[in-house]
Amino acid sequence: MPVTQRDALYRGELGRWVPWLGLATSLAAVFMQLLDATIVNVALPSIAVDLGASVSAQLLMVSVYTLSFACSLITAARLGDLLGRRRVFLTALAVFIVASLLCGLAQSPTALVVSRALQGLAAGSMSAQTFAIISGLFPKRSHPRVFGIYGATIGLATICGPLVGGLLIQWDLFGWGWRLIFFVNLPIGLAALVLGYFYLVDAKPDGIRRLDVGGAVLSAAGLFLLIFPLAEGRERGWPTSIVVMLLCSVPVLIAFVVYEWRLGRRGGDPVLRLQLFTDRAFSLGAAIAFVFFGTLTSLIFTISLTLQFGFGFSPLRAGVMTLPWALGTGLAALASAAVYRRIGNLVLSLGMVLFAGSLVVLAAQLQHEGTDPRWSALAGPLFIGGVGLGLFVAPLQTAILATVQPQNAGSVSGLLPTVQQVGSSIGLAVIGVVFFNLVATQSADAVQAERPALTAQLAEAGVPSALIPRAEETFVRCATEQLGSTSPMTVPDECRSPASGGAALGAAQQQIADSAVVAARESTRNAAGEAFLQAERRILWIIAAVAAAIGVASLTLPRRNQQVDERSADAA
């Protein structure tokens, strides 16, 4: 639609609805971007079986999306400045739809990894425009309410991945199985594309901007060298090449900062405006966002893994178990604008207090419930934790953007999501290492605790008493090795048992052997459940402490200046 026609919409009867239709387009894109960051975790077992994907390929299917997402953000924000944010946003949305289709049609692990990389690039390019577009759609006095809705979308999309993925895989519509988690983006994306084409107003800043090629290359290279090793290092056993990449990220990122600083001093147009960090609200808020999203992503990962592998829940049951969390987040985020108007930045500390307290209670409830917890026992603390998240996520955006000048909106829109993505990647790597080390630490006691039950099962199955000690030793060795490995979800090759003994065993002997294998697998499952349970409880305590620290740090954010907001709103 020509610009004059879109301007006419603003002056006509539809004028008051156009910003909200533009917001709907942005929120649909945000929901898809964040949903696709977590939904694949649920589908990995199905994808691995269907495509024959190795463990390394499965990890790449998850990490390549985050990697390409983060590496594209800063450069995409500048492209929005140059070409217009509406044009870049809609182009990226169209590419995201095509990439989702390619993901769903993939016939090999390599094809899926490449399509996921393209999907991440498109998602990052969309995300880099979102802050600036939403900020430009509404006057500043409306930002608390608008970013409250935005925060609700972030919270719901981040937390709903396991639930939505579980539902789609369970339904198996048209026999598409795991492919449906990508195909579901098509109708949502096409609807958003149509709305955006007709109702999204451009947000191209005034003045001539230049593409900082050197800064774009250095930022992408530095983020790649940082995030790729963090995503792949643990599973690959931290080989020398991965460690070297990680070490090289430091000088490359330092070179990026120095280059941008010198370019700015020469009067150039750097892709990253370092003067943003002189704004106390922005620099402190960015640090808080970095830590917060790192812990949130890690928490979702460990809870999903504990429920599905540790406790043996189906993807659907795991998703339903966390439903109160999503409900609490959505409801609180919608109400956060009203709370923010009353108590200002204190709402951030309130949210983190509720979140930290809920994790402490959740850890206690898990200890009481064991490896088959009731939904009703966990619903309360999960809902309160969701309320805390909702009260924190939405006002955080407003608090960070409160003192940012309009001409820096493009830089902020690229930098803040980058901070969040890098924080998520680093947090996931750090907490992942801690979590699996805790599982390995707890595995020895958990395996030994299962030994008497295994002995009784073997005797009941008719295994000769002379063979029971050998069977016990094999169980202890294999279970301990599996739970202590870098991938405790995978059974070691030497511990895999054939389905049948063939002609070497008679029917009665084969039945006894099969019963012994079943008993060993059940005992391994029980030991894994206990090891994951105890590891998750400790992770909950760690993240609760981090959340409490974030709550304290939030108290130091500059308070909102109502008069400044009103003058900015009048000017808008």
Side-chain angles (χ1 to χ4, degrees):
M1 179 182 293
V3 174
T4 55
Q5 289 180 264
R6 291 198 300 272
D7 291 342
L9 279 173
Y10 269 97
R11 294 192 296 267
E13 294 182 358
L14 290 177
R16 61 176 179 169
W17 294 107
V18 171
W20 294 101
L21 292 171
L23 177 64
T25 301
S26 301
L27 295 185
V30 168
F31 189 84
M32 289 190 298
Q33 296 159 21
L34 296 178
L35 188 69
D36 272 49
T38 57
I39 196 173
V40 175
N41 290 309
V42 178
L44 280 179
S46 301
I47 294 174
V49 172
D50 190 26
L51 299 183
S54 64
V55 174
S56 178
Q58 293 176 54
L59 289 173
L60 274 176
M61 292 169 192
V62 177
S63 62
V64 75
Y65 180 87
T66 302
L67 177 65
S68 55
F69 191 118
C71 290
S72 66
L73 284 165
I74 295 178
T75 302
R78 174 50 52 87
L79 289 176
D81 289 341
L82 290 169
L83 305 175
R85 296 184 185 112
R86 174 183 179 272
R87 179 183 299 176
V88 174
F89 179 89
L90 293 179
T91 302
L93 178 56
V95 174
F96 185 86
I97 295 170
V98 173
S100 297
L101 177 62
L102 294 177
C103 287
L105 296 176
Q107 299 298 316
S108 68
T110 301
L112 184 53
V113 168
V114 172
S115 300
R116 284 283 285 170
L118 179 62
Q119 195 183 37
L121 287 172
S125 299
M126 283 190 290
S127 180
Q129 320 307 321
T130 304
F131 275 23
I133 287 176
I134 294 178
S135 298
L137 283 171
F138 297 89
K140 201 160 187 177
R141 61 169 173 262
S142 299
H143 283 183
R145 179 171 56 156
V146 172
F147 281 110
I149 299 173
Y150 175 75
T153 305
I154 289 178
L156 286 174
T158 304
I159 295 172
C160 282
L163 175 60
V164 174
L167 285 172
L168 293 175
I169 294 173
Q170 183 77 19
W171 288 340
D172 192 21
L173 296 179
F174 310 109
W176 287 341
W178 60 268
R179 301 178 188 275
L180 197 60
I181 68 172
F182 298 111
F183 289 153
V184 73
N185 289 332
L186 303 184
I188 300 175
L190 289 172
L193 192 62
V194 172
L195 277 178
Y197 179 80
F198 285 105
Y199 299 114
L200 199 64
V201 178
D202 210 344
K204 187 175 181 179
D206 297 330
I208 299 175
R209 307 299 299 272
R210 298 178 182 274
L211 179 60
D212 175 13
V213 178
V217 171
L218 286 173
S219 66
L223 289 173
F224 176 83
L225 291 172
L226 174 66
I227 297 176
F228 181 81
L230 291 175
E232 297 290 316
R234 186 189 61 82
E235 178 62 29
R236 299 189 181 192
W238 295 103
T240 303
S241 58
I242 291 289
V243 175
V244 169
M245 286 179 66
L246 187 59
L247 293 176
C248 286
S249 69
V250 177
V252 172
L253 290 174
I254 292 175
F256 166 65
V257 172
V258 172
Y259 177 86
E260 296 296 277
W261 177 70
R262 289 181 175 177
L263 182 62
R265 289 197 63 184
R266 293 198 306 266
D269 196 9
V271 72
L272 174 63
R273 297 183 176 275
L274 296 177
Q275 65 264 33
L276 288 174
F277 292 95
T278 62
D279 184 330
R280 181 165 168 263
F282 173 76
S283 57
L284 181 57
I288 289 174
F290 177 89
V291 177
F292 169 74
F293 281 97
T295 55
L296 178 61
T297 305
S298 306
L299 181 61
I300 294 172
F301 171 74
T302 59
I303 287 180
S304 178
L305 203 60
T306 298
L307 291 176
Q308 291 191 63
F309 179 77
F311 297 171
F313 288 7
S314 67
L316 179 59
R317 186 181 177 188
V320 171
M321 185 67 74
T322 58
L323 180 60
W325 203 9
L327 290 176
T329 300
L331 293 175
L334 290 173
S336 64
V339 181
Y340 179 71
R341 283 194 298 269
R342 288 181 176 274
I343 64 176
N345 291 341
L346 287 175
V347 68
L348 302 177
S349 298
L350 174 62
M352 283 296 95
V353 167
L354 291 175
F355 182 55
S358 73
L359 297 184
V360 173
V361 175
L362 184 62
Q365 286 292 88
L366 284 174
Q367 178 67 14
H368 180 264
E369 291 289 315
T371 58
D372 189 20
R374 295 167 298 157
W375 183 89
S376 58
L378 304 186
L382 284 173
F383 181 80
I384 297 300
V387 169
L389 287 176
L391 291 176
F392 180 85
V393 173
L396 179 63
Q397 317 297 328
T398 304
I400 294 175
L401 295 173
T403 57
V404 173
Q405 297 300 317
Q407 63 268 26
N408 292 327
S411 298
V412 172
S413 66
L415 185 56
L416 274 179
T418 303
V419 168
Q420 295 172 4
Q421 288 297 319
V422 174
S424 296
S425 299
I426 294 177
L428 187 58
V430 173
I431 297 296
V433 170
V434 173
F435 178 73
F436 285 113
N437 283 340
L438 287 172
V439 170
T441 301
Q442 299 297 319
S443 63
D445 291 339
V447 169
Q448 290 297 333
E450 279 297 314
R451 195 165 182 168
L454 175 64
T455 302
Q457 286 182 295
L458 293 175
E460 184 178 349
V463 176
S465 57
L467 297 179
I468 289 180
R470 180 179 176 184
E472 288 180 357
E473 291 174 2
T474 301
F475 157 71
V476 170
R477 176 177 56 81
C478 287
T480 302
E481 180 181 349
Q482 177 181 342
L483 296 177
S485 68
T486 58
S487 181
M489 297 77 71
T490 305
V491 179
D493 291 336
E494 63 272 18
C495 296
R496 297 178 184 273
S497 300
S500 174
L505 296 176
Q509 292 175 317
Q510 182 63 54
Q511 184 176 2
I512 293 174
D514 291 342
S515 298
V517 170
V518 170
R521 288 175 178 170
E522 183 178 344
S523 294
T524 302
R525 164 65 63 191
N526 294 337
E530 184 63 26
F532 271 74
L533 171 66
Q534 298 304 326
E536 182 61 34
R537 289 184 63 247
R538 286 159 175 78
I539 290 295
L540 291 173
W541 277 97
I542 292 172
I543 296 182
V546 174
I550 292 175
V552 173
S554 300
L555 294 174
T556 63
L557 278 171
R559 291 184 178 273
R560 184 169 58 102
N561 189 322
Q562 184 66 33
Q563 293 179 346
V564 171
D565 282 358
E566 289 175 355
R567 287 197 298 269
S568 300
D570 292 339

